[in-house]
Amino acid sequence: MAVTIKDIAKYAGVSVTTVSRALNGYPDVSEETREKIKKIAEELNYSPNSIARGLVTNKTHTVGLVVSELIKPGAYHPFFLEILAGIKAGLRKDKYDLILYTVDPTSQDVTPYEKLCNDRKVDGAIVEGLKLSDPYIEEIKNTEIPTVLIDIPILNDKVGYVSSDNVQAAFEATSYLIKLGHKNIGFINGHNDAAVSFERLEGYKKALYKNNIPYKDEYVVFDDFTQDGGYNCFRKMIFENPEITAVFHASDLMAIGSLKAAQDLGMQVPDDISIVGFDDIELSSLITPGLTTIRQENYKIGYMAARHLVSIIKGEKPRHIIIPHRLIIRQSAKKI
Amino acid sequence: MAVTIKDIAKYAGVSVTTVSRALNGYPDVSEETREKIKKIAEELNYSPNSIARGLVTNKTHTVGLVVSELIKPGAYHPFFLEILAGIKAGLRKDKYDLILYTVDPTSQDVTPYEKLCNDRKVDGAIVEGLKLSDPYIEEIKNTEIPTVLIDIPILNDKVGYVSSDNVQAAFEATSYLIKLGHKNIGFINGHNDAAVSFERLEGYKKALYKNNIPYKDEYVVFDDFTQDGGYNCFRKMIFENPEITAVFHASDLMAIGSLKAAQDLGMQVPDDISIVGFDDIELSSLITPGLTTIRQENYKIGYMAARHLVSIIKGEKPRHIIIPHRLIIRQSAKKI
DNA sequence: AGATGTTACCAAAACGTTTCGGATGCATTT
DNA sequence: AAATGCATCCGAAACGTTTTGGTAACATCT
């Protein structure tokens, strides 16, 4: 049916070897025959069978994107699209295709990571949204498959990762609140099944320490990154520690949850309480008051993850790549 | 390196043919040897090389998802994730893998649709977000590749589509406004490069006609589906037709744009003007006032698209599949 | 003149499966 | 006893490439 390299060979009166080598730019074919072959290939609308090629080269020019929690309980992954768009852009140059795996941690049949990748013979994979407790983590620590993780610090011979500088970002956000005059600053953190939670806590502590504000355990709570999580944590925190005047959050969704909770408690934001988030999702600029937050360059995170994966596949050494963040000042935090 | 069917054959003392047939459930192998082979395969951690299999069967068990405008100018596709999640769920049962193509209409090298699919040898494809003017449309009308379109009505031997009943949905939304007592109802429609725009206009007209309200051309404007589009259209429409008391929109983003515009013009929603959207994106329930809108079951649209594609691949006849919608009543429209 | 190098080409193997067309041995039917 | 049927197995071809290890013809160097 489809035209193969054999057809071209017949047409051109040469061997399949020569066709292959001509089309792939090998030097041992005369310019004359190369041109002839190229022309015929063009005319016959030939396009190489990537399956057959993959069988012999053992390369598919395909990478996997494995994402956990595409659908978080109650909400869709808030910035997956941005990461995805970045990944696609990063892959475009080298013409890698992307095959999407969504893993559901609650599902029964958890295909092991290596099997997942090997079955489809991907050349490498980008991994996003894994919890620290996910069994994939252990597997990836020792894998030979070129892998780039997003927001999970694992580094070995074939595995690198990209993330924001979460310590620094949390440091800046907290410092900003301190600069506004706040001293009793709560921190509604993400669950401690995420690497970023530890880093952000460290940044928060660092800012307090640097400004000689004593750290209090009761000012820090953990929950999942959702709006409901923020809502509940805020109520509890304010109820138990009414002296708090500002709350930093490990996600915008949680910050928005706090915002709602504050409103429901009859508090004005930012007059009665200052709120700062993390992520800068689209919604954060649309709500009132606009949410002061840390912008993560998710598109760029995806883009660099893809670029780095390609470089690992090509044999370069994996690294940790840090993507710059930025404090976005809106109206949800103010001076006291 | 990896264990192949040959290794198993050697271990089991049978031919590769028998191993293949045993593993694939053919009847002409005794239960005894089948069990033996299965056990060995298990022990050796064998997993079949899908590339090699694909080469001979000419099937890859992979489908493509081609999506245009993943990143619309200024905004990310508002409900792509829901569709995607639905597609993945629909594919899971039959273990099809998903490879993601994002096509950028403004890009130079637009790979033809058939080439896109043939190069990677996908068994079929789901297509979303195409404009009517996209060259892919013509190609798909005559393609032999099993294809399911979302929101684009093309039907042939191998091509089906799924969508909401846009006529009926627009009819219901408009009828609802009429029931609330509105007579001068504007319609901010999407650009007429989208099939749904025509259908929604038809539904809008139908509702007016049924209620003996004369249709006025100046009450209907077209723009892209974005927030900015809504914002600008609303200002213009209200300025030129101040008697309008309600506006129906072809997307929630546009409705939200109108909301902003109304606020900027000092109008109260819903007291001075009623607003109705289309889509029910997440944001619509979070803003104040909550947006009355038509909910599209995007997850289900994706799910059914996937299921239908699989059935077409298996030889069944393509159809038009209609996914139910629902009028979601919130606070942005009220009785006059 | 012989050795060496260079250029342009090719036959055949290999990749790991599936599948086609038997083949073998045994039991059953005529 | 021959023919038939059945259950179980297998050899080899095929899928469309890339790659290995050549060869042949000619030019250049010693």
Side-chain angles (χ1 to χ4, degrees):
Chain A
M1 184 100 294
V3 26
T4 77
I5 217 174
K6 245 183 237 169
D7 302 319
I8 300 180
K10 210 183 299 172
Y11 253 73
V14 297
S15 72
V16 296
T17 306
T18 303
V19 175
S20 174
R21 299 182 76 81
L23 259 22
N24 290 317
Y26 281 72
D28 63 346
V29 35
S30 72
E31 273 315 306
E32 190 187 356
T33 49
R34 187 194 303 279
E35 282 314 314
K36 185 170 67 177
I37 288 170
K38 273 189 172 172
K39 189 155 151 274
I40 293 174
E42 180 79 19
E43 277 168 8
L44 262 43
N45 195 21
Y46 168 77
S47 85
N49 184 322
S50 58
I51 299 288
R53 174 181 293 172
L55 185 57
V56 25
T57 59
N58 214 16
K59 295 257 165 292
T60 55
H61 237 74
T62 303
V63 304
L65 169 57
V66 356
V67 47
S68 186
E69 312 217 35
L70 220 204
I71 313 181
K72 302 196 186 238
Y76 287 86
H77 192 312
F79 45 78
F80 175 71
L81 258 200
E82 303 172 30
I83 293 178
L84 179 62
I87 290 174
K88 284 297 294 182
L91 255 26
R92 186 137 32 224
K93 267 189 212 166
D94 296 80
K95 303 203 177 217
Y96 275 86
D97 276 326
L98 212 229
I99 148 164
L100 184 73
Y101 301 106
T102 54
V103 317
D104 177 4
T106 65
S107 152
Q108 313 290 358
D109 73 316
V110 274
T111 323
Y113 179 71
E114 301 242 342
K115 182 166 165 53
L116 199 68
C117 293
N118 282 334
D119 275 10
R120 283 297 167 168
K121 298 272 177 275
V122 297
D123 294 344
I126 295 172
V127 178
E128 201 269 345
L130 283 196
K131 293 188 173 180
L132 290 179
S133 60
D134 196 295
Y136 277 13
I137 296 276
E138 282 308 312
E139 244 191 304
I140 291 173
K141 278 182 183 166
N142 306 307
T143 191
E144 292 287 311
I145 299 170
T147 302
V148 170
L149 297 138
I150 290 176
D151 272 349
I152 302 166
I154 299 178
L155 213 50
N156 72 26
D157 225 39
K158 295 286 178 190
V159 180
Y161 68 105
V162 4
S163 69
S164 306
D165 187 341
N166 284 285
V167 177
Q168 176 65 17
F171 176 82
E172 286 172 22
T174 312
S175 298
Y176 172 69
L177 285 170
I178 296 172
K179 210 180 69 191
L180 291 181
H182 296 278
K183 293 207 161 8
N184 299 316
I185 303 172
F187 177 29
I188 297 182
N189 200 354
H191 54 68
N192 46 33
D193 218 0
V196 294
S197 297
F198 294 97
E199 298 168 10
R200 290 172 192 172
L201 177 58
E202 188 186 333
Y204 164 81
K205 282 181 178 171
K206 214 168 130 185
L208 296 184
Y209 181 77
K210 193 180 169 197
N211 291 278
N212 293 313
I213 299 175
Y215 167 79
K216 292 184 186 173
D217 254 340
E218 60 269 31
Y219 281 10
V220 176
V221 316
F222 294 82
D223 209 317
D224 60 7
F225 290 91
T226 63
Q227 194 169 332
D228 284 351
Y231 188 93
N232 297 328
C233 285
F234 183 85
R235 288 183 77 99
K236 189 146 168 278
M237 181 181 280
I238 288 300
F239 186 74
E240 293 172 358
N241 310 281
E243 71 280 9
I244 285 178
T245 60
V247 182
F248 171 48
H249 299 74
S251 81
D252 278 3
L253 284 176
M254 291 199 290
I256 290 167
S258 285
L259 248 153
K260 291 248 177 198
Q263 280 164 6
D264 289 357
L265 291 171
M267 301 172 79
Q268 292 291 327
V269 178
D271 298 316
D272 301 328
I273 185 111
S274 285
I275 301 279
V276 172
F278 203 110
D279 287 341
D280 195 28
I281 63 178
E282 202 188 355
L283 185 51
S284 303
S285 65
L286 300 173
I287 55 175
T288 324
L291 185 65
T292 292
T293 187
I294 297 284
R295 170 176 301 167
Q296 297 215 74
E297 303 284 356
N298 292 307
Y299 181 91
K300 192 149 196 197
I301 287 177
Y303 182 84
M304 290 307 294
R307 299 305 303 159
H308 191 40
L309 179 61
V310 171
S311 85
I312 294 175
I313 290 173
K314 289 185 178 164
E316 281 176 45
K317 204 169 150 53
R319 304 190 293 119
H320 172 204
I321 292 177
I322 296 171
I323 308 297
H325 57 270
R326 226 169 75 210
L327 177 67
I328 305 290
I329 296 175
R330 297 204 182 89
Q331 298 84 43
S332 66
K334 78 167 219 187
K335 210 164 194 134
I336 59 166
Chain B
M1 184 101 294
V3 25
T4 77
I5 217 174
K6 244 183 239 170
D7 302 319
I8 300 180
K10 208 184 300 172
Y11 254 73
V14 298
S15 73
V16 296
T17 305
T18 304
V19 175
S20 174
R21 298 181 78 81
L23 260 21
N24 290 318
Y26 281 73
D28 64 346
V29 36
S30 72
E31 272 315 307
E32 190 187 356
T33 49
R34 188 194 302 278
E35 281 314 314
K36 185 170 67 176
I37 288 170
K38 272 189 174 173
K39 190 154 149 274
I40 293 175
E42 180 79 19
E43 277 168 7
L44 264 43
N45 196 19
Y46 167 77
S47 85
N49 184 321
S50 58
I51 299 288
R53 174 181 293 172
L55 184 57
V56 25
T57 60
N58 213 16
K59 294 256 164 294
T60 54
H61 237 73
T62 303
V63 304
L65 169 57
V66 357
V67 48
S68 186
E69 311 216 36
L70 220 205
I71 313 182
K72 301 193 187 241
Y76 287 87
H77 192 312
F79 45 79
F80 175 72
L81 258 200
E82 304 173 30
I83 293 178
L84 179 62
I87 290 174
K88 284 297 293 183
L91 255 26
R92 186 136 33 223
K93 270 190 212 167
D94 295 80
K95 303 200 176 220
Y96 276 86
D97 276 327
L98 212 229
I99 148 164
L100 184 73
Y101 301 106
T102 54
V103 316
D104 177 5
T106 64
S107 152
Q108 313 290 359
D109 73 315
V110 272
T111 321
Y113 179 70
E114 301 242 343
K115 182 165 165 51
L116 198 68
C117 293
N118 282 333
D119 275 8
R120 283 296 167 168
K121 298 274 178 275
V122 296
D123 294 344
I126 295 171
V127 178
E128 202 269 344
L130 282 196
K131 293 187 172 181
L132 290 179
S133 60
D134 196 294
Y136 277 14
I137 297 275
E138 283 308 312
E139 244 190 304
I140 291 172
K141 278 182 182 164
N142 306 308
T143 190
E144 292 287 312
I145 299 169
T147 302
V148 170
L149 297 138
I150 290 176
D151 272 349
I152 301 166
I154 298 179
L155 212 51
N156 72 25
D157 226 38
K158 294 286 177 191
V159 180
Y161 69 105
V162 4
S163 69
S164 306
D165 186 342
N166 283 287
V167 177
Q168 176 64 17
F171 175 82
E172 286 171 23
T174 311
S175 297
Y176 172 70
L177 285 171
I178 295 172
K179 210 180 69 191
L180 291 180
H182 295 279
K183 293 206 160 16
N184 299 317
I185 302 172
F187 178 28
I188 297 183
N189 200 354
H191 54 69
N192 45 32
D193 218 359
V196 295
S197 297
F198 294 98
E199 299 168 11
R200 290 173 192 172
L201 178 58
E202 188 186 332
Y204 164 80
K205 282 182 179 171
K206 214 166 129 186
L208 296 184
Y209 180 78
K210 193 181 167 197
N211 291 277
N212 293 314
I213 301 176
Y215 167 79
K216 293 186 186 171
D217 253 341
E218 61 269 31
Y219 281 11
V220 175
V221 316
F222 294 81
D223 208 317
D224 60 8
F225 290 91
T226 62
Q227 194 169 332
D228 284 350
Y231 188 94
N232 296 328
C233 285
F234 184 86
R235 289 183 76 99
K236 187 145 171 279
M237 181 181 280
I238 288 301
F239 185 75
E240 292 172 359
N241 311 280
E243 72 280 10
I244 285 178
T245 60
V247 183
F248 171 47
H249 299 75
S251 81
D252 278 4
L253 284 176
M254 290 199 290
I256 291 167
S258 285
L259 248 152
K260 291 249 178 199
Q263 281 164 5
D264 288 357
L265 291 171
M267 303 171 78
Q268 291 294 325
V269 179
D271 298 316
D272 301 328
I273 185 110
S274 284
I275 300 279
V276 172
F278 203 111
D279 286 341
D280 195 28
I281 62 176
E282 204 189 354
L283 185 52
S284 302
S285 65
L286 300 173
I287 55 174
T288 323
L291 186 64
T292 292
T293 188
I294 297 283
R295 170 175 301 165
Q296 299 215 73
E297 302 285 357
N298 292 307
Y299 181 91
K300 192 151 195 191
I301 286 177
Y303 182 85
M304 290 307 295
R307 298 305 305 159
H308 191 40
L309 179 61
V310 171
S311 84
I312 294 175
I313 290 173
K314 289 185 177 164
E316 283 177 43
K317 204 169 148 54
R319 306 190 293 119
H320 172 205
I321 292 176
I322 297 172
I323 307 297
H325 58 269
R326 227 168 77 210
L327 177 67
I328 304 289
I329 296 176
R330 296 204 183 89
Q331 298 85 42
S332 65
K334 77 166 220 185
K335 207 162 195 136
I336 57 167

